[in-house]
Each structure stands twice: as C-alpha cells, then as structure tokens.
Amino acid sequence: MGKKKVTAVFDIGKTNKKFFLFDENYEEVHREYRQFKNKVDEENHPCEDIEELQVWLKSVFENTINLNTYDVQALNFSTYGASLVHLDEHGNPLLPMYNYTKPIPEEVTKSFFARYGPKEQLLALTGSDDAGLLNSGMQLYWLKHYKPEIFKRIKTSLHLPQYISYVFTGVPVSEYTSLGSHTLLWNYQKKDYHDWVYKEGFHKILAPLVPSETSINMNYNGNRIKVGVGIHDSSAALLPYIRGAKEKFVLVSTGTWSIAFNPFINGNLSEQDIKNDCINYMRINGKPVKASRIFLGNEYKLQIDFLNKHYGVEKDRHKKVEFDFDTFFEINKDFMHLFRWQSFSDENMPDKTYIPYNTFEHAYHHLMIELTMIQVKIIKRVMDDRVVNNLYIDGGFTDNDIYVKLLAHYLRNSQVMTTDSALGSSIGAAIAVSDKKLNSKFLSKNYALKKHVPFVIK
C-alpha cells in the first residue's frame, strides 16, 4: 500500500503551538501540541521564544519526513498576527519578537498621528484602530525613531507567518493577509502601501509582496514539497467558509476575542466605521474584510469568577446551565442592566455591578443576556441586511446553549448556524497551499454545521 498523501500545517497560537497532517479530503490524520514558556524582552515584558520555537518546528517536520509513513505534498503555516521578526544582514533574528500587548510610550503614537494624520482619515484608509503594537506599522515607526541604532541594523522585517515560512525556505516574502490586518501599513483605496510607509522608507525592509496562495518548491531529503508563505490565522479561519458556503455570510469567531467578519463588503471603511471600532482584515486575494471585535471571552471569564465567588459555587457550574425560557421571560419583563464590564465599556452599564437574584442560574442567564446584546451590536456593525442573512458562529461560545439560543432569538431575520471546527485556521492554511476546490458538502461534513431556529415566544 502506498503512503498516504498529506498536507502539513503548523498552527501557531499565543498559547498552543500545533502541528497537523491533513489527508486529501482535509480530514485530520495526525496532530501534535506544544506549549513554550515565554522569554522576556529587554524591558522585561513577556515575548515569544522564537529560537526555541524554530528548533521545535524543524525537529517536528524532520521527524515526520523521516518516519516514512506519510507522503508530505505541501507545508503551510497559520499564526497570530501583529507580530514582526526583524532579521539582520545574515538573516538571523536581531531583536526579541515584541509581544503586541507590550505598551509603547504615548509620545510615539502622538508623534506618528501628528506627522501622518488626520488620525481618523488614516485609520479609515488603512482599516486599522489606534492600538499601539497591535498595529505592526507602529512598531517599525517606534524602532526607527526611538531605537535608531538597532533599527539601522534591520535588513528585513517579516510578519510571524512569513518568518516561519522563511525558517523552512530561506526566502523572505510579505503576503496580503498579514499586511492588511490592522497594521496601518496598507492603503485599501490605493491597494498599495500607504504613502507614509514610503516616506519612512519601510518598503525597503518589508520583503517583496506575493499572493497568499504562493508556494515555493523545496527538496526535503529527496522529497519535493510545496511550501506555502504562511497566512494570518483570522484570514485562514475565514477561508473554508468563503470557499465552502453557497451564499454570502457573516462569520462570528468566538473565543478570548469575539470577532465578526463580513468578507463581502464593497467600499472602504468610513470614519464613522472607525468610531464604531470597525477594522479591516484581508482576504487572500487582497480584498477587504470588514470586522468588529469585542473582548467577549475575557470579560465572560472575569464575570464568571465574580459570580462563582458571589454564590460560593464550584468553578464549572456555568457549563451546566442550559437555557430556560421562563427565566429569560422573567428577566426580560422588567429588564435592567446589572453588570459593570472590566474589559470594555458600554453606554448602558451601571457604575457598579448589582445582583438581585437568589440563584446562580438566574444571575448567569442575566449575564448572558447582557453579553449577547453587546455581541448583537458588534455583529450589526458589519452586517449588511440587504445581502447577508447567513450567520456562522464558530469557536468556544458555540458550546454555550444560552448564547446560541439568544443569538438566534435576537437575529431572527438571519439563519444562525454553529460550526464545530477547532481546526479552522489550520484547514484554511491547508486550503491556501493546495489547488483543490471544496465540494458543496464541505461545511456540513467537516464542520458539523448545525442550524438554529429562534424560540417561539409563548
């Protein structure tokens, strides 16, 4: 029997580093997980240990090749974004890979927008928010003007997915999805770097731009393998839906962040969109994706900790609560906002959290109603009612019975569907490097697609 043909994918999250092998139908045939301890940068802020990561990447891949069990046809990478690796003239990392949570001095952003504003206009053109190092362009500006001695030694700056591709190919490139995702670098109107990038000379250190589906033919121990150029994980997670769905849709990807994506918008973001906290991600063909995000999973965790302490219940109690119509109806009758949020603010929230209920279950229903109302607001910012009436939900909150039922209730004019794929961004990376079309049953078969109807109000 011949060896099974597979596509290999490294999916690098902030916490979990994963390696998958997919067969020709994108079914997972092998997986490995690793976690690494963070290093710290020169200011003691935690950052990814890219040296250790690089050693792991190479050893896992070489073991797979040497096993001789699989015939690896292609290799690709999906990773978190907003992270740059700066290489010196010898092609080695010159600096720590700064964590996008690292604060930078306020004067950096002030001087940037004073020089290249008006701010709202620049943000709208680049589809970005003002988010410090989450805008990778701001990192380049900070290094050039505030660490000039180091900056002079940078030969090439690569976003993380392209750095990992470079580890295997030695070919430095840039690709659309990493450049276009809230970086401040890309002018969506001109479909080119923004003028400020040329004025600062950053186009000289950003590697040549190639389409996201580009692959480089490599010879590994006598095996010819197509190596992809890597893809931003959010754009990768969107790709199976774009290729597999018959109609236009909005995807809500839930987890620590809950991000609503609309890949079917026409036109650029307006300054009003920017005020509403909308940003752009990018499809692999360079087209914009309108997105709006909220720190939903983070807030959920904080509030659950608070409710657990308040009621003295075990920490997993919330996982056992199912939607109860009578409880919903009772809360809804004289609805009041009770929760004060810690990860974001909302115009309706009180000055202080107030819990009037005797039971955890009641308070939990109330929490979920408030969080889901905010989620609906976020979805509506990107939803165009004229063209989009399909809504896919993936990620951690698909297991939350109350969240799903309430979304179907509040968005009753849309078809709400949950999907179950912890592999979203990895499958997206596998699809990006392969030439195969997806068949029409792909989502229902691979993603356990489930439709939800709104409950009937008695």
Side-chain angles (χ1 to χ4, degrees), residues 159-397:
H159 280 96
L160 181 58
Q162 286 67 59
Y163 171 69
I164 292 180
S165 173
Y166 169 80
V167 165
F168 287 90
T169 65
V171 180
V173 296
S174 300
E175 65 71 56
Y176 284 117
T177 67
S178 296
L179 278 180
S181 298
H182 55 79
T183 59
L184 288 174
L185 296 165
W186 192 256
N187 182 329
Y188 274 88
Q189 219 163 30
K190 278 177 30 189
K191 299 183 175 51
D192 189 3
Y193 290 126
H194 193 282
D195 287 350
W196 79 263
V197 177
Y198 290 109
K199 285 182 184 148
E200 291 287 345
F202 294 155
H203 60 295
K204 293 176 187 152
I205 61 169
L206 290 163
L209 178 58
V210 300
S212 313
E213 289 164 298
T214 304
S215 58
I216 295 155
N217 286 320
M218 298 291 294
N219 190 323
Y220 253 87
N221 305 356
N223 303 283
R224 278 178 67 72
I225 296 173
K226 276 198 318 184
V227 182
V229 295
I231 180 170
H232 183 288
D233 58 7
S234 299
S235 303
L238 196 53
L239 189 56
Y241 294 94
I242 290 172
R243 294 278 177 85
K246 294 190 196 72
E247 293 171 31
K248 292 179 176 176
F249 62 86
V250 163
L251 170 65
V252 183
S253 184
T254 66
T256 306
W257 285 93
S258 177
I259 312 176
F261 297 99
N262 181 349
F264 302 101
I265 54 157
N266 292 315
N268 302 298
L269 293 185
S270 65
E271 292 187 23
Q272 188 53 49
D273 286 330
I274 294 297
K275 287 195 178 89
N276 285 341
D277 291 331
C278 290
I279 53 175
N280 278 143
Y281 285 81
M282 201 187 261
R283 285 170 61 169
I284 62 171
N285 58 5
K287 286 189 175 163
V289 175
K290 186 177 184 179
S292 186
R293 62 187 176 185
I294 186 103
F295 218 5
L296 196 76
N298 192 65
E299 186 60 40
Y300 177 84
K301 191 171 163 299
L302 296 171
Q303 297 295 346
I304 291 300
D305 288 348
F306 168 75
L307 288 182
N308 288 347
K309 283 194 191 88
H310 184 82
Y311 288 98
V313 299
E314 72 281 7
K315 71 176 175 38
D316 283 349
R317 175 77 158 265
H318 64 110
K319 292 180 181 168
K320 301 180 184 116
V321 184
E322 295 203 346
F323 180 76
D324 180 80
F325 182 81
D326 293 333
T327 307
F328 168 77
F329 190 72
E330 212 177 300
I331 292 169
N332 224 26
K333 217 166 41 186
D334 306 305
F335 185 77
M336 279 170 62
H337 292 272
L338 302 180
F339 288 90
R340 181 163 185 84
W341 311 122
Q342 296 174 51
S343 321
F344 46 77
S345 59
D346 181 72
E347 70 260 22
N348 298 315
M349 71 184 191
D351 293 337
K352 191 162 158 251
T353 296
Y354 163 66
I355 308 287
Y357 303 118
N358 296 328
T359 69
F360 175 87
E361 283 67 21
H362 230 90
Y364 180 72
H365 269 74
H366 198 117
L367 171 68
M368 288 316 300
I369 290 168
E370 287 202 39
L371 284 177
T372 311
M373 283 173 159
I374 291 173
Q375 176 70 87
V376 168
K377 243 190 257 181
I378 298 297
I379 293 169
K380 286 189 167 166
R381 285 176 186 168
V382 303
M383 201 169 221
D384 181 337
D385 294 332
R386 295 185 310 270
V387 273
V388 176
N389 54 14
N390 287 308
L391 189 68
Y392 292 111
I393 318 288
D394 77 10
F397 276 87

Side-chain angles (χ1 to χ4, degrees), residues 104-173:
I104 53 169
E106 207 179 309
E107 66 191 278
V108 179
T109 46
K110 270 198 176 138
S111 98
F112 175 81
F113 287 114
R115 197 176 290 198
Y116 295 116
K119 179 174 167 176
E120 252 64 40
Q121 191 183 358
L122 178 67
L123 295 177
L125 276 176
T126 58
S128 303
D129 46 359
D130 172 10
L133 287 193
L134 262 169
N135 313 125
S136 51
M138 191 64 78
Q139 184 181 147
L140 292 173
Y141 182 83
W142 166 61
L143 290 173
K144 180 178 172 185
H145 295 282
Y146 294 82
K147 294 180 181 272
E149 285 313 306
I150 290 259
F151 181 80
K152 278 182 198 143
R153 294 171 51 206
I154 297 174
K155 173 111 177 13
T156 311
S157 293
L158 299 175
H159 280 96
L160 181 58
Q162 286 67 59
Y163 171 69
I164 292 180
S165 173
Y166 169 80
V167 165
F168 287 90
T169 65
V171 180
V173 296

Side-chain angles (χ1 to χ4, degrees), residues 25-26 240-247 392 417 436-449 451:
N25 300 313
Y26 301 107
Y241 294 94
I242 290 172
R243 294 278 177 85
K246 294 190 196 72
E247 293 171 31
Y392 292 111
M417 294 166 275
K436 278 181 60 181
K437 285 198 159 45
L438 299 188
N439 73 34
S440 57
K441 301 217 166 41
F442 177 81
L443 287 177
S444 48
K445 185 168 171 289
N446 294 53
Y447 276 46
L449 197 61
K451 298 184 175 184

Side-chain angles (χ1 to χ4, degrees), residues 42-54:
E42 70 279 8
E43 283 157 352
N44 248 4
H45 196 83
C47 63
E48 190 79 66
D49 187 337
I50 49 174
E51 287 80 10
E52 195 181 356
L53 177 61
Q54 180 175 332

